[in-house]
Amino acid sequence: SILPPNRTLIEVKSDTPISECLSILNEKKILSLPVYEIVSKSDGSSEKEYLGIVNLFELLVPLAFKPYFESDLSDSDYFDGQNFDTQRFQNPVSDWVGTSAEGKTLWTAHALDSVYSLIEKMAKGVHRYLIEGRADGKPTCHILTQSDLVHFISKNRNHLSPILSLKLSEISLPNTKSLKTIYSDTRVVDGIREMYRENLPSLGVIDYETGVLIGNLSLTDLRGLHPEKDLKKLLLPIKEFLHEIRKGAGRKELICCTLEHTVEQAIDIMLTERVHRLWITDQNQKPLTVCTMSN
């Protein structure tokens, strides 16, 4: 089966406070949560109905940062907590289902659907599916991610050698001009603002003086930030912030490859390093393009 064995679906009811959802995401080291409500049926029974899947970005950013992005508050006013409304984090998570571009659609599939039908959509940027089925006469639901599909491709590499042997230079990747990057001395909050405005999952981090790629700011880096306690960390330069959080988590600051790597090698690096994208650089460590799991 393409679904990982023994994986428990981590989900929340629609009335769960957002603060609790953020704690679950951090504790379970995940980036998204399916949201459901209990609905009554005509025969008097009840069942789960899924409203959507919320991710860390659409929970944390609109609540913690949007008031600052859209106001004239000074840094000292906002990040000292003088104008920070913690009550917003007690609102139900249902208030934020469907507030992002991807979250507007609940992507579902049946357990008997073909793998290819899922790959088609995920190659266009869908990051996760709810997979519905039945077991022992009862409805079941699992979440399937891009990572799961890439694992599946890796396990079946013997059937895909003509594709996997292609060099990254031979497949469709963004051109250098379309890359989204930000300078390393930019404050974290300004990087988050850029990601929010442009609906970006990540930004390449460039050294201002040399133009060398030195890091990647992504959704994962926000996991574990406490909206009330950690706000001031977001005034740090991105370079300093990434070094601090990744050193504590034992994670590498940047995973790169070259256009000479094959698709198979890129997949192996992604799975080994547990990353969703590889930055591709030239011999001087300057960014050329990026290869994501969608690619």
Side-chain angles (χ1 to χ4, degrees), residues 99 179 196 259 266:
T99 55
L179 286 182
Y196 177 69
L259 289 171

Side-chain angles (χ1 to χ4, degrees), residues 22-36:
L22 291 171
S23 296
I24 293 171
L25 290 170
N26 184 38
E27 178 187 344
K28 301 296 184 181
K29 300 189 184 306
I30 55 178
L31 296 175
S32 62
L33 285 169
V35 180
Y36 70 90

Side-chain angles (χ1 to χ4, degrees), residues 116-180:
Y116 183 74
S117 66
L118 304 183
I119 288 178
E120 264 192 314
K121 292 288 192 302
M122 287 193 166
K124 295 177 181 177
V126 175
H127 291 92
R128 54 192 65 82
Y129 264 92
L130 279 180
I131 307 297
E132 299 172 321
R134 296 191 73 82
D136 301 323
K138 297 179 180 179
T140 61
C141 194
H142 300 275
I143 197 164
L144 183 77
T145 67
Q146 282 188 339
S147 297
D148 297 327
L149 276 175
V150 173
H151 271 285
F152 178 78
I153 290 170
S154 178
K155 289 178 182 177
N156 291 277
R157 63 181 67 197
N158 292 340
H159 303 288
L160 299 166
S161 54
I163 297 172
L164 297 181
S165 62
L166 291 174
K167 292 183 179 180
L168 295 182
S169 60
E170 298 176 281
I171 68 172
S172 177
L173 295 173
N175 61 49
T176 304
K177 290 183 179 179
S178 67
L179 286 182
K180 301 295 184 180

Side-chain angles (χ1 to χ4, degrees), residues 7-16 21 24-25 28 30-37 48-56 58-59 93-94 97-98 106-108 128-132 141-145:
R7 176 192 284 171
T8 301
L9 180 66
I10 301 170
E11 58 189 3
V12 292
K13 199 175 175 184
S14 58
D15 59 358
T16 305
C21 293
I24 293 171
L25 290 170
K28 301 296 184 181
I30 55 178
L31 296 175
S32 62
L33 285 169
V35 180
Y36 70 90
E37 62 181 4
K48 282 182 182 179
E49 181 177 289
Y50 288 92
L51 304 180
I53 301 175
V54 293
N55 65 39
L56 176 63
E58 59 193 3
L59 288 181
V93 67
S94 57
V97 173
L106 175 58
W107 295 97
T108 62
R128 54 192 65 82
Y129 264 92
L130 279 180
I131 307 297
E132 299 172 321
C141 194
H142 300 275
I143 197 164
L144 183 77
T145 67

Side-chain angles (χ1 to χ4, degrees), residues 53-230:
I53 301 175
V54 293
N55 65 39
L56 176 63
F57 206 58
E58 59 193 3
L59 288 181
L60 188 59
V61 173
L63 286 169
F65 310 125
K66 190 175 180 181
Y68 173 66
F69 293 167
E70 298 182 352
S71 74
D72 295 324
L73 293 172
S74 69
D75 291 348
S76 58
D77 284 344
Y78 191 78
F79 287 94
D80 281 344
Q82 296 178 33
N83 287 278
F84 188 75
D85 181 11
T86 58
Q87 189 58 39
R88 291 194 303 268
F89 289 88
Q90 300 311 310
N91 292 347
V93 67
S94 57
D95 287 356
W96 295 98
V97 173
T99 55
S100 69
E102 183 177 351
K104 292 183 187 302
T105 302
L106 175 58
W107 295 97
T108 62
H110 192 274
L112 298 179
D113 287 347
S114 72
V115 171
Y116 183 74
S117 66
L118 304 183
I119 288 178
E120 264 192 314
K121 292 288 192 302
M122 287 193 166
K124 295 177 181 177
V126 175
H127 291 92
R128 54 192 65 82
Y129 264 92
L130 279 180
I131 307 297
E132 299 172 321
R134 296 191 73 82
D136 301 323
K138 297 179 180 179
T140 61
C141 194
H142 300 275
I143 197 164
L144 183 77
T145 67
Q146 282 188 339
S147 297
D148 297 327
L149 276 175
V150 173
H151 271 285
F152 178 78
I153 290 170
S154 178
K155 289 178 182 177
N156 291 277
R157 63 181 67 197
N158 292 340
H159 303 288
L160 299 166
S161 54
I163 297 172
L164 297 181
S165 62
L166 291 174
K167 292 183 179 180
L168 295 182
S169 60
E170 298 176 281
I171 68 172
S172 177
L173 295 173
N175 61 49
T176 304
K177 290 183 179 179
S178 67
L179 286 182
K180 301 295 184 180
T181 60
I182 196 164
Y183 286 123
S184 59
D185 58 350
T186 307
R187 300 180 311 173
V188 178
V189 68
D190 296 319
I192 294 171
R193 176 192 282 140
E194 181 71 10
M195 292 167 64
Y196 177 69
R197 287 177 173 173
E198 300 293 330
N199 192 32
L200 299 171
S202 70
L203 287 168
V205 181
I206 304 292
D207 182 81
Y208 179 77
E209 295 181 353
T210 64
V212 167
L213 184 73
I214 62 169
N216 177 75
L217 180 68
S218 73
L219 184 62
T220 306
D221 300 315
L222 302 182
R223 188 170 58 200
L225 289 181
H226 192 288
E228 297 172 62
K229 298 177 182 178
D230 297 326

